[in-house]
Amino acid sequence: MLKSIGVKNYRTFPQGQDFELAPITILLGANSSGKSSITRLLPLFSQSLSQRASGPILWVSDNLDYGSFLDNVHNHDVDRNITFSFSGTMRPPERRRRFQFGGSDNPKIDYKYELSMTGDGNSTTVSCISITIHDSEIRFPVAPDSMVSKVLLNGEPIEVLEGKKILVQAGLFPQMYIVNPADGRLEIVAKDNFARDAAKILRSYAHQNTTLDKIVSILFSSEFLSPTEFFPELEKHAYPVPSLKRRIKSVTPKSKSRVWAFMFMSLLDEVINCVKESVSSDISAGAYLGPIRARASRYYRRQELAVDQIDPSGENLAMYLNALMPHEREEINKDISRFFGHKIKVHGGEGHISIRIIKDGDDHEDNLADVGFGFSQLLPVIAQVHAAGRTFRRFGHRAAHAQRPESPILAVEQPELHLHPAYQSKLGAYFVHAATKKINGTPPFRFVIETHSEPLVNEIASQVATGKIPAESVRIYLFERPSGEADTKIVRAEVKDDGSIPNWPFGFFTSGKINRPGANT
């Protein structure tokens, strides 16, 4: 499960800045303060994961045009490296396990993955990869020719390559290959490349007739824990080689570090893939909705297209609604009725369709084009949530367990556009509902919401105060970028159990206060 993302030297964020992905993460700030730069990271990562690219990041696609590395590095300074980081928990797929990883009592382990990149206006290349598990960091500096010639363990060089060179291919989670010095062939960095090197170190502590294969077998029968825990674990499994079991406590600290690093290298391909699955499952199962959404039309030309998601502008909303089965459309209507007091109908005609709005308790139907701009902006938000859940229900069961999203992430820019303040408040209640309830077999969603809406924030705080969502499930980040300055400053506003926000900046909206049930106004 992906728990946070981080940036450094990215746009207006020169210093390292992490953003926790809570069930509801709210980004607030003035225009041009950097909120959209963070919200749009999710679709940026999604397109970089789903399409092949010549670099680590796919800056431009049909849905998102972010320019180039030069456009995104802080102050357009190509001497800086952009760093993106991902933190969360991962569980290696059972089909790939060759030995226990992380301990049987804790099948999920924490990770932090960082990828740094350099570039210019034409291309982007990887400059460093860092992976932290079990509180130990392995860092791979990457040269301009995409080669790794040294490895660092917790900041110190560690001798594990021994003449080997590693080639890093393009990608956000790149494949890494050992280059065969004899003929230049590429071999995936995997178990047997390094496990035998670890066994060679341990064989010097065993009987001279002990084979490397026997020690490799012991290594792979042990759980891969932190450097301090790994050797006590290894000792438990060393009974097939009594001489090694007797002398294992005499292994020097330097040799212990090298053995641990060799075993990490033997698992490198698996670790990178497991981190990738943790990140991509939650991001790819989610969606993004931009701030400029299509206005309603009286009629939509019928198209025989398969529509599984709402596009970022909501232009294909009518096609999506028309493609739904009646019971699926009723699922959307339940939410629209519960939170907004209306329902929708889709009418088909000769070569076209139309969307009608019906107020609860009324039989009169209005064309969506006749009910004001607000509803046409609201419907894509509700439909996008439904589309993400529908995709999960249809295809999620086919994924391997480790690839199954635990809590898909939906990023929405300015969902309150053109809505009356009362409806903005109702939208806040809807987000809480979707973030806390398992609906039709879909796990609760997580939302990254960029907003300027005081009623929406007030309502979410009220939902905390009334116990509908725990305070720790809401994160509020305040963005401040003083006029004329290049850097954005971030303040995290803490939400208390009673819905209050003690460090809320006075005057951020108007009064600087959050209205809660029972509070004096």
Side-chain angles (χ1 to χ4, degrees), residues 53 66 95 122 128 263 291 325 327 354 407 476 485:
Y66 244 31
R95 67 182 186 278
N122 299 311
C128 190
M263 293 310 295
M325 300 292 288
H327 74 276
S354 62
S407 184
I476 299 178
E485 293 191 14

Side-chain angles (χ1 to χ4, degrees), residues 308-420:
D308 293 320
Q309 274 198 335
I310 308 300
D311 64 35
S313 64
E315 289 187 7
N316 64 343
L317 171 67
M319 296 304 108
Y320 176 77
L321 295 176
N322 186 60
L324 295 178
M325 300 292 288
H327 74 276
E328 293 176 319
R329 208 172 295 134
E330 186 56 32
E331 291 170 359
I332 293 181
N333 271 331
K334 283 182 180 178
D335 285 341
I336 298 175
S337 174
R338 175 178 174 180
F339 291 95
F340 305 100
H342 289 73
K343 292 183 179 179
I344 59 168
K345 278 189 177 180
V346 178
H347 283 247
E350 186 72 26
H352 69 268
I353 57 176
S354 62
I355 301 175
R356 309 293 176 88
I357 300 293
I358 307 166
K359 189 174 182 179
D360 284 355
D362 193 344
D363 293 333
H364 179 71
E365 299 180 4
D366 289 304
N367 192 290
L368 181 61
D370 295 328
V371 296
F373 206 44
F375 252 103
S376 68
Q377 304 301 289
L378 173 66
L379 284 181
V381 177
I382 311 298
Q384 188 69 286
V385 174
H386 180 271
R390 181 173 180 254
T391 299
F392 176 88
R393 293 193 297 274
R394 295 175 71 187
F395 303 111
H397 68 282
R398 300 181 188 176
H401 182 73
Q403 296 173 306
R404 216 168 287 162
E406 294 187 47
S407 184
I409 304 167
L410 277 71
V412 187
E413 290 191 62
Q414 300 179 41
E416 72 277 5
L417 280 179
H418 302 287
L419 287 180
H420 184 276

